[in-house]
């Protein structure tokens, strides 16, 4: 979502006559778009922003601007840690950035109030790459998962006007984009002007030029029969879902206020894979949540084994000030949390590798992305179910081409394919 926001801001600034600098030393403005989800993300952002201090000493006119969730979370306090920065701008004020950095508001430092009405209707992000783009259809979140800072830094859920979304898709395909990724904190809860997430997906799929539709991240609570049926029957919607589990223990899920049980979660995977066993499911899991016992953690490992995720982002619980679970005393030490995390990673890595192995021998359509970073004679593309495939082109290829490949080797987790056509 931050990448999309950065592209949106780039578009707004371009409209105001600015260009992206090729070289950081030549820049007049440095924008840092930040994340607050875990403490580590904020520490990393502060370390990166600090690196701009010497540049500012060299170029007195340089302005350093902090954007995103940490801007909202820390606000004025950021000037204590980073006294050389010029503006702190939260996620509801991006439309005013040209005015803030160039004009009437140049003397104000902090812009972090929520604006319940700002859902960026009528603004379009710069195309992020020549064949694939993301579109934020929903901002903020109405859930209050007890560990999560997002609703406090991004505010309540705001859904973008469906006509605006369709216009953005149309504009994108006219520029040659064929893959669209819809973004939202609980994207499948989307509802606006009589449109549901399922009906929006159908409408997008009817636009000529759209070949692949992806979305991130759905919430397990917001699947109904209509949505599952669209996901299974609409051939343009890719067979990959990133569905955050967080924990496999019902006790912990309840404490996290996740609004589903492990059984419900597993039933969704079963439904999605019932027609296509290769339907990819990836997830997020937190280890060492406050109050997580050995037996709770065992349950997570059990669910992970049953779910057979294609991949997972695995995190160590990070208490965030302002959230409900921050108030609860932690009993687990950092070492214990780390140990659980490592155990989980080990089990999931084996499953990831098995899920890749299962792809051997399959014939897949690949969307070509770029030359491989290791060997420029080889290229990388992705399957419909979001697996990277390395292949040697048999003739000239360009990003955005679709090729048919036979998967004939698996190295580690990486699929290698032979081009058939
Ligand atoms: N600690 C650890 N991980 C967290 N996430 C969100 N909040 C926290 C936290 N306090 C993880 C969740 C979420 C992902 C984006 O970040 O797994 O799905
Ligand atoms: Fe955070 Fe929960 Fe909202 Fe996801 S659904 S952004 S984890 S509060």
């Amino acid at each position: 979502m931050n990448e999309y926001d950065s592209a949106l801001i780039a578009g707004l600034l371009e409209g105001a006559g600015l260009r992206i600098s090729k070289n950081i030393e030549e820049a007049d403005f440095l924008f840092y778009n930040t994340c607050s989800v875990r403490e580590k993300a904020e520490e990393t952002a502060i370390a990166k922003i600090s690196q701009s201090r010497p540049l500012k000493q060299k170029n007195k006119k340089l302005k350093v601007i902090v954007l995103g969730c940490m801007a909202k979370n820390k606000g004025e306090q950021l000037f204590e840690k980073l006294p050389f920065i010029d503006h702190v701008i939260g996620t509801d004020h991006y439309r005013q950035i040209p005015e803030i950095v160039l004009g009437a508001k140049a003397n104000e430092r902090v812009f972090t109030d929520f604006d319940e009405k700002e859902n960026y209707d009528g603004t379009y992000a710069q195309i992020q790459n020549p064949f694939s783009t993301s579109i934020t259809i929903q901002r903020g979140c109405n859930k209050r998962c007890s560990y999560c800072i997002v609703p406090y830094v991004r505010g309540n859920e705001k859904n973008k006007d469906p006509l605006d979304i369709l216009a953005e898709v149309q504009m994108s395909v006219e520029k040659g984009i064929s893959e669209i990724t819809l973004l939202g904190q609980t994207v499948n809860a989307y509802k606006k002007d009589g449109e549901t997430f399922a009906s929006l997906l159908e409408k997008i799929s009817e636009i000529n030029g759209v070949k692949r539709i992806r979305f991130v991240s759905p919430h397990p609570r917001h699947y109904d029969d209509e949505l599952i049926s669209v996901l299974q029957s609409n051939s343009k919607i890719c067979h990959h879902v990133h569905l955050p589990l967080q924990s496999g223990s019902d006790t912990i899920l309840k404490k996290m206020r996740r609004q589903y049980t492990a059984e419900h979660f597993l039933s969704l995977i079963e439904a999605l894979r019932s027609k296509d066993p290769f339907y990819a499911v990836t997830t997020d899991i937190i280890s060492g949540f406050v109050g997580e016992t050995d037996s709770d953690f065992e349950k997570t490992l059990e669910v992970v084994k049953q779910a057979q995720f294609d991949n997972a982002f695995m995190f160590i619980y990070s208490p965030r000030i302002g959230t409900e679970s921050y108030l609860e005393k932690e009993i687990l030490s950092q070492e214990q949390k780390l140990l659980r995390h490592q155990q989980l990673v080990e089990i999931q890595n084996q499953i990831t590798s098995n899920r890749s192995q299962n792809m051997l021998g399959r014939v897949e359509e690949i969307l070509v992305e770029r030359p491989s970073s290791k060997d420029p004679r080889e290229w990388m593309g992705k399957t419909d179910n979001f697996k990277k495939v390395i292949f040697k082109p048999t003739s000239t290829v360009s990003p955005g081409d679709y090729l048919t490949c036979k998967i004939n080797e698996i190295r580690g987790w990486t699929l290698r394919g032979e081009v058939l056509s």
Side-chain angles (χ1 to χ4, degrees):
M1 198 161 279
N2 270 2
E3 281 178 25
Y4 175 89
D5 280 351
S6 297
L8 179 105
I9 294 161
L12 291 167
L13 288 170
E14 199 181 49
L18 273 75
R19 288 178 291 111
I20 294 183
S21 305
K22 291 210 169 58
N23 181 342
I24 195 169
E25 314 258 334
E26 290 167 7
D28 298 313
F29 302 101
L30 290 179
F31 294 93
Y32 289 90
N33 203 350
T34 60
C35 173
S36 281
V37 77
R38 284 168 294 278
E39 197 168 347
K40 184 91 192 325
E42 288 194 341
E43 285 165 3
T44 310
I46 291 189
K48 285 236 165 154
I49 301 166
S50 303
Q51 288 170 8
S52 64
R53 191 175 204 151
L55 290 172
K56 191 134 183 179
Q57 279 157 354
K58 269 196 229 152
N59 174 4
K60 296 277 181 258
K61 283 198 301 200
L62 177 69
K63 286 195 169 181
V64 179
I65 299 113
V66 181
L67 310 167
C69 295
M70 186 176 75
K72 169 69 184 170
N73 193 32
K74 301 262 184 227
E76 193 76 45
Q77 280 174 42
L78 277 177
F79 293 97
E80 287 161 29
K81 279 209 160 95
L82 305 162
F84 58 91
I85 61 175
D86 293 279
H87 303 285
V88 171
I89 307 177
T91 54
D92 284 348
H93 296 267
Y94 295 160
R95 216 186 269 271
Q96 301 158 53
I97 288 183
E99 228 186 323
I100 297 171
V101 301
L102 296 168
K105 296 189 173 160
N107 290 330
E108 283 176 58
R109 297 206 302 181
V110 182
F111 300 82
T112 53
D113 294 344
F114 284 140
D115 178 349
E116 295 285 330
K117 293 207 180 69
E118 180 57 282
N119 58 5
Y120 293 97
D121 281 337
T123 61
Y124 304 106
Q126 265 188 352
I127 295 296
Q128 292 128 57
N129 68 43
F131 53 88
S132 174
T133 199
S134 309
I135 300 179
T136 297
I137 66 165
Q138 180 194 63
R139 311 180 73 89
C141 183
N142 280 354
K143 300 271 183 286
R144 293 292 180 271
C145 301
S146 56
Y147 51 82
C148 182
I149 199 171
V150 168
Y152 307 101
V153 290
R154 281 191 171 261
N156 283 332
E157 183 182 303
K158 291 177 284 188
N159 292 303
K160 199 165 168 146
D161 182 340
L163 292 175
D164 230 63
I165 298 168
L166 296 171
E168 193 161 356
V169 175
Q170 183 64 46
M171 271 172 45
S172 304
V173 293
E174 279 164 17
K175 289 180 180 152
I177 300 283
S178 68
E179 183 182 65
I180 304 285
T181 303
L182 304 177
L183 304 177
Q185 232 58 251
T186 54
V187 74
N188 55 338
Y190 176 88
K191 228 179 175 57
K192 183 89 187 234
D193 300 344
E195 216 69 72
T196 62
F197 185 59
S199 67
L200 183 70
L201 287 171
E202 293 271 60
K203 289 210 169 134
I204 292 174
S205 75
E206 284 157 16
I207 295 177
N208 263 339
V210 172
K211 287 198 174 156
R212 287 185 170 184
I213 307 172
R214 303 185 182 279
F215 54 88
V216 73
S217 284
H219 189 287
R221 171 77 193 277
H222 295 280
Y223 278 85
D224 54 21
D225 293 345
E226 183 201 8
L227 179 57
I228 292 182
S229 140
V230 169
L231 296 178
Q232 284 176 331
S233 61
N234 189 313
S235 60
K236 290 188 179 176
I237 305 172
C238 293
H239 281 198
H240 166 234
V241 65
H242 185 76
L243 190 62
L245 168 68
Q246 313 299 6
S247 168
S249 149
D250 287 345
T251 318
I252 294 297
L253 286 171
K254 203 162 190 182
K255 279 189 80 173
M256 287 178 161
R257 300 201 185 280
R258 288 291 292 172
Q259 310 178 347
Y260 54 83
T261 60
E263 194 186 342
H264 174 72
F265 186 95
L266 288 168
S267 75
L268 290 175
I269 300 189
E270 207 181 304
L272 292 172
R273 286 185 177 154
S274 64
K275 295 226 171 91
D276 172 15
F278 292 91
Y279 204 112
V281 184
T282 54
T283 199
D284 292 342
I285 302 170
I286 301 175
S287 308
F289 182 63
V290 65
E292 184 186 79
T293 62
D294 281 339
S295 119
D296 291 319
F297 182 63
E298 283 300 321
K299 288 193 177 115
T300 298
L301 296 182
E302 229 6 83
V303 173
V304 164
K305 286 177 198 158
Q306 285 179 45
Q308 293 289 302
F309 295 115
D310 291 78
N311 215 332
F313 292 119
M314 292 164 276
F315 308 106
I316 294 173
Y317 170 60
S318 163
R320 307 301 286 127
I321 296 176
T323 62
E324 185 185 345
S325 59
Y326 180 80
L327 301 173
E328 218 177 312
K329 195 171 165 347
E330 285 198 87
I331 294 166
L332 294 170
S333 67
Q334 198 57 26
E335 288 70 39
Q336 283 169 309
K337 291 201 265 182
L338 184 65
L339 217 64
R340 285 187 186 173
H341 169 75
Q342 284 165 340
Q343 215 180 328
L344 176 64
V345 169
E346 201 176 308
I347 289 175
Q348 180 54 46
N349 282 354
Q350 188 55 51
I351 297 172
T352 302
S353 158
N354 294 348
R355 291 285 299 172
S356 293
Q357 283 293 338
N358 291 346
M359 296 288 290
L360 197 62
R362 281 176 65 84
V363 174
E364 291 283 334
E365 185 178 59
I366 309 291
L367 170 54
V368 176
E369 292 199 0
R370 53 178 162 79
S372 136
S373 40
K374 289 201 187 113
D375 178 352
R377 287 168 306 172
E378 295 187 323
W379 280 64
M380 187 279 281
K382 286 211 189 90
T383 62
D384 176 290
N385 71 351
F386 209 59
K387 308 253 183 224
K388 279 186 186 167
V389 178
I390 305 290
F391 63 93
K392 268 207 177 87
T394 47
S395 56
T396 317
V397 285
S398 306
D401 289 351
Y402 286 84
L403 297 177
T404 306
C405 278
K406 178 161 187 190
I407 311 301
N408 57 9
E409 195 188 340
I410 316 287
R411 281 193 207 160
W413 299 349
T414 311
L415 278 51
R416 302 178 70 85
E418 174 197 350
V419 181
L420 300 182
S421 58

